[in-house]
Amino acid sequence: MPSLGRLHLITDTRPGRDPLGVLRAALPVARAELVVQVRVTDDATDREAYELTRAAVALCRPYGATCLVNDRLHVALAAGADGGHVGADDLPVEAARRVLGPTAVLGATARTPGTAAVAVAAGAGYLGVGPCHATDTKTGLPDPIGPAGVRAVAGAVSVPVIAIGGVTAATVPALRAAGAYGVAVVGAISGATDPARATAELIASLTC
């Protein structure tokens, strides 16, 4: 099973964004510490998701970085990704594990100790936990849980906890202190003027 990096970069495929350009900037900096999670908008076709994933996989391979696909597990399999991530409205974790197989990386979203424990028992190898802070990257999210919420989940499971939602380099130390193994970001890198520098700052905050 591929190792799990501490910095998860979720692709931003909204109009005007350049997800592959961001990956090209971030990968040489983070290398194997980067996990790329391909997430496309709801109106994107499977073909578009497949083409983006194939390109992302090709970029990740030379650096030993892991590439996952959010939600569309059939795309993950078809494009040769390392696994996938499922949220509350996606396939149940147990079903997702059957689809991907026993050795693939499988993450699941959780925000309470109870749902986290259920997801791990069903086959999740890591958990995306949040939102930790307010974010405008994705709409319809529940209230932020803060570092205290991360601590509650991390204390209930033995798999890596990846804190997500409004994460910046400045907020990483508190999340790490709360038990987060790593963090997942969108805007902190994709929205940065210098994505490579933003990546370096996040990596430094994760490893200090």
Side-chain angles (χ1 to χ4, degrees):
M1 183 180 294
S3 62
L4 194 70
R6 294 185 185 273
L7 179 59
H8 292 221
L9 173 56
I10 301 172
T11 58
D12 189 349
T13 59
R14 292 175 294 177
R17 307 288 179 156
D18 180 13
L20 294 179
V22 170
L23 294 188
R24 292 186 185 98
L27 278 163
V29 178
R31 304 184 71 85
E33 282 292 350
L34 192 68
V35 175
V36 175
Q37 187 183 135
V38 177
R39 185 171 75 187
V40 296
T41 55
D42 291 341
D43 60 350
T45 65
D46 281 349
R47 174 63 67 88
E48 290 169 332
Y50 172 78
E51 295 295 349
L52 177 58
T53 304
R54 287 282 290 174
V57 167
L59 289 172
C60 287
R61 287 293 180 260
Y63 298 101
T66 299
C67 185
L68 310 176
V69 177
N70 183 285
D71 175 20
R72 306 190 193 201
L73 303 185
H74 58 299
V75 171
L77 290 172
D82 299 300
H85 184 99
V86 291
D89 297 325
D90 301 327
L91 279 178
V93 175
E94 184 178 0
R97 175 53 75 193
R98 289 199 301 270
V99 170
L100 291 177
T103 62
V105 177
L106 175 59
T109 298
R111 58 184 276 108
T112 66
T115 56
V118 169
V120 172
Y126 78 89
L127 297 173
V129 177
C132 299
H133 306 290
T135 176
D136 59 3
T137 302
K138 191 175 181 181
T139 60
L141 294 173
D143 292 336
I145 61 174
V150 173
R151 182 177 291 108
V153 172
V157 297
S158 59
V159 302
V161 164
I162 306 299
I164 184 173
V167 174
T168 66
T171 63
V172 167
L175 296 170
R176 291 277 284 138
Y181 171 81
V183 298
V185 301
V186 182
I189 294 178
S190 295
T193 303
D194 186 344
R197 179 177 179 179
T199 301
E201 290 173 348
L202 284 160
I203 290 292
S205 68
L206 283 164
T207 55
C208 65

